[in-house]
Amino acid sequence: MSEEQYKIHSGIQGKVVIITGASSGIGEATALLLAARGAKVVLGARGIDRLEKLAERIVNQGGQAVYASIDVKRREDLTRLVALGCEKYGKIDVFINNAGVMPISPLDELRIEDWEAMIDVNMKGVLYGIAAALPLFREQGSGHFVTTSSTAGHKTVPNQSVYSGTKFAVRAISEGLRQEAGNQMRVTVISPGIVKTNFTESVTNSEVRDKLASIRDEMAMPPDAVARAIAFAIEQPDDIDVNEIVIRPTAQV
């Protein structure tokens, strides 16, 4: 089957997909893959320049994309992103809560501002995304939430307790949402292991940052691998709900 034939028969063709944290890493890879398979993507992130370049790249490749500078810590920004998608494309089919930060450190260092950032972005940002899209999904009678968690949401290790706590919370929130959704909505959690992205830039402890960068450079999987897992969940028939995918490099324990 050719790429064009695959796109025509894919469950992704024609869907309107919002992606937060879309300007780099997993979000960027997902935007490119879904647009290539026929989705209309609505891109949100803080960096407007990167978003503009990504949208231009998608359009030049024959896809459809709009974008807005947003901060998931602000509920009104996510409401505005949903409104943009509806204004441009008339509906929203999928909301991908992908934005996240990982400024991990030992608890003894009391980096409380970093703790608050992880709670605000990783947890509250997801809740704000749900709040922005859930009423619309109910009105439409359909919708799909996809949320990026982490293998840290399954297993806690030293230095990652707060980050891990936010990712455990995301899984709990998503599972509760799934149980409340009924047969109108789908809810998927994607839990990646270590991915080759710029996530170490937010780590404020230099020793932890250097160690993570070393591990990343040695074994991390490309963002495309996670994008394919997200696409797999989205392209299933409407009555099939892929609840959770855990994806990691084979070298990661």
Side-chain angles (χ1 to χ4, degrees):
M1 183 181 291
S2 70
E3 183 66 28
E4 189 61 31
Q5 288 173 320
Y6 182 87
K7 184 169 76 170
I8 292 171
H9 293 286
S10 170
I12 294 170
Q13 173 73 31
K15 286 190 173 178
V16 179
V17 182
I18 287 180
I19 307 171
T20 68
S23 62
S24 63
I26 293 170
E28 179 183 23
T30 301
L32 290 166
L33 178 62
L34 295 183
R37 294 189 181 180
K40 303 168 185 177
V41 293
V42 182
L43 312 173
R46 289 179 297 177
I48 192 70
D49 291 341
R50 291 184 64 95
L51 285 176
E52 184 177 8
K53 291 177 182 177
L54 176 58
E56 182 179 357
R57 181 179 173 188
I58 289 170
V59 171
N60 288 342
Q61 292 174 351
Q64 298 186 60
V66 291
Y67 62 92
S69 176
I70 65 156
D71 186 338
V72 298
K73 298 193 298 293
R74 294 196 293 259
R75 179 182 174 186
E76 61 271 20
D77 281 13
L78 292 169
T79 301
R80 179 166 52 85
L81 193 63
V82 168
L84 173 64
C86 289
E87 178 184 346
K88 180 67 176 180
Y89 300 122
K91 63 173 182 173
I92 303 295
D93 295 296
V94 185
F95 192 108
I96 302 179
N97 272 309
N98 173 69
V101 294
M102 190 182 174
I104 63 174
S105 60
L107 287 171
D108 281 323
E109 292 186 357
L110 299 179
R111 295 179 184 261
I112 295 171
E113 290 184 359
D114 289 347
W115 302 351
E116 291 173 339
M118 285 184 278
I119 291 168
D120 288 345
V121 174
N122 300 351
M123 286 177 58
K124 292 171 70 175
V126 167
L127 287 168
Y128 291 160
I130 291 171
L134 183 56
L136 175 64
F137 286 174
R138 290 299 191 194
E139 181 181 344
Q140 292 177 167
S142 65
H144 189 177
F145 285 104
V146 179
T147 299
T148 304
S149 179
S150 169
T151 52
H154 294 258
K155 176 184 177 182
T156 306
V157 297
N159 303 324
Q160 294 189 20
S161 56
V162 178
Y163 175 75
S164 183
T166 65
K167 295 304 186 177
F168 269 90
V170 161
R171 290 182 61 229
I173 291 164
S174 296
E175 173 59 13
L177 178 60
R178 184 193 69 80
Q179 293 184 29
E180 295 177 16
N183 62 2
Q184 291 185 320
M185 293 188 302
R186 302 191 295 174
V187 180
T188 301
V189 176
I190 307 291
S191 294
I194 191 161
V195 183
K196 191 167 290 185
T197 68
N198 61 357
F199 70 91
T200 59
E201 293 179 2
S202 66
V203 179
T204 48
N205 178 294
S206 59
E207 182 179 348
V208 173
R209 181 175 62 247
D210 292 345
K211 183 178 180 180
L212 276 176
S214 177
I215 294 171
R216 177 198 61 195
D217 295 343
E218 179 183 351
M219 70 171 67
M221 60 187 169
D224 290 353
V226 186
R228 289 194 298 272
I230 292 171
F232 172 78
I234 293 173
E235 70 186 2
Q236 300 306 307
D238 290 342
D239 61 343
I240 302 298
D241 194 356
V242 178
N243 304 144
E244 185 158 12
I245 298 175
V246 180
I247 176 170
R248 56 165 64 90
T250 54
Q252 183 178 346
V253 297

